[in-house]
Amino acid sequence: MGSQKQGLIMWLSGLLFLNILVLSRADVQYYDFFLQESQFTKLCSTKNVLTVNGSFPGPEIRVQRGDTVFVNVHNQGNSAVSIKWEGVEDSIDGSNDLIQPGRNFTYQIELDDEIGTLWWHATSAWASATVHGAFVVLPAANEDYPFPKPDSDKAIIIGEWFRQELTEANQTIASGQADAYTIDGHPGETTGCSNDTTFEYQVDYQGLYLVRVINAVNETMVFGIASHSLTIVGQRGAYSRRSFTNSLTLAPYQVVDVVFCANQNLGHYYITARPSNSTTRSTTGILRYTTTST
């Protein structure tokens, strides 16, 4: 009986030590988001849009599992805005309150079991069209991926673009069909406008790549990379059972993590994103090989 009790005490001590070890390796990360009006030229016209730190999509948050993240949002725009953290279980009280122009609010996000890809966006339809970004949670320092470690990883956001300026007054426009779709903010070569840029993703032959695909569109979208097979490894901030596919069908605001091997011939291959109910209204990017076998 004494030996059993001693063994239980040793097990509990080991568990406590493990928890302390994990907590000691967690970190605190700080980000500053500045909501501001910025000018962008797409679809042959220039307009003002609300952005974070002047970029579309907005800045990426990249942390490790178990970290605590503070995001101080400074509203330098003209309308009240709040941020939603998709897939995050815990955030500070008052996170649903609107941040008034000229004010700021700090979100405190306590990461626990979340792993993989989350994302953030403005809560209103008109603002979320341009105010959004990736939230990547990497394995902790003492953790490995449950699949072969990728050579690199990248978040790719499927977005949308409207010709008309989006404001609170016409936010119903952002709930309708977009004038164009974007891959990481690039409308691609199908718009017919010479100043519209195309998303490019460079890979090395035989490299293994983790791609974090975020559908920031309020439509079901289909995503694929020509001639490349995709292995699904995660969804909604958690690892998932591996499955294989040639393309992804993503519901509105869904996130899927996939890995693929760059094992095709030297050249470039189209990356495509389109609504599931259309084969003609699509946007394209380019996967470009930098090296190949000899």
Side-chain angles (χ1 to χ4, degrees), residues 43-276:
L43 306 187
C44 303
S45 63
T46 301
K47 69 170 187 174
N48 286 324
V49 298
L50 188 65
T51 66
V52 173
N53 297 359
S55 66
F56 168 69
E60 176 180 287
I61 293 175
R62 184 167 284 247
V63 296
Q64 290 183 308
R65 193 209 290 261
D67 284 355
T68 297
V69 185
F70 290 92
V71 183
N72 192 1
V73 180
H74 309 259
N75 189 356
Q76 299 175 346
N78 301 317
S79 302
V81 178
S82 64
I83 303 296
K84 181 174 178 60
W85 308 91
E86 293 283 355
V88 177
E89 295 296 330
D90 299 311
S91 56
I92 196 168
D93 291 341
S95 60
N96 292 324
D97 295 343
L98 290 173
I99 307 169
Q100 299 297 325
R103 305 297 295 273
N104 71 294
F105 180 83
T106 300
Y107 295 90
Q108 178 180 336
I109 302 162
E110 301 283 351
L111 295 173
D112 186 14
D113 293 330
E114 296 92 350
I115 190 71
T117 312
L118 317 172
W119 69 297
W120 57 268
H121 61 87
T123 53
S124 60
W126 73 271
S128 65
T130 52
V131 176
H132 58 251
F135 191 131
V136 175
V137 184
L138 300 170
N142 59 331
E143 291 182 319
D144 294 320
Y145 291 100
F147 47 84
K149 184 179 179 180
D151 294 300
S152 70
D153 74 276
K154 181 171 181 58
I156 292 179
I157 301 180
I158 303 171
E160 55 193 341
W161 192 262
F162 298 85
R163 285 190 172 90
Q164 189 168 344
E165 287 192 20
L166 300 178
T167 63
E168 284 183 299
N170 63 7
Q171 62 179 312
T172 54
I173 294 174
S175 301
Q177 193 173 67
D179 294 304
Y181 300 97
T182 61
I183 300 177
D184 262 15
H186 302 274
E189 60 186 32
T190 61
T191 64
C193 297
S194 59
N195 57 356
D196 282 339
T197 55
T198 299
F199 170 75
E200 288 204 12
Y201 185 18
Q202 291 192 336
V203 297
D204 292 325
Y205 180 73
Q206 293 291 18
L208 184 67
Y209 295 89
L210 171 58
V211 180
R212 309 169 184 276
V213 187
I214 301 169
N215 181 15
V217 179
N218 192 26
E219 293 183 71
T220 299
M221 300 293 289
V222 179
F223 173 89
I225 303 174
S227 302
H228 291 75
S229 297
L230 307 175
T231 303
I232 298 174
V233 295
Q235 297 189 58
R236 295 180 290 274
Y239 293 128
S240 65
R241 182 183 296 238
R242 276 179 259 182
S243 59
F244 308 94
T245 183
N246 292 322
S247 64
L248 299 175
T249 300
L250 298 103
Y253 310 135
Q254 185 180 5
V255 178
V256 177
D257 292 345
V258 298
V259 294
F260 74 92
C261 183
N263 55 6
Q264 300 301 309
N265 293 329
L266 175 68
H268 68 269
Y269 299 83
Y270 279 117
I271 302 170
T272 58
R274 63 171 178 82
S276 61

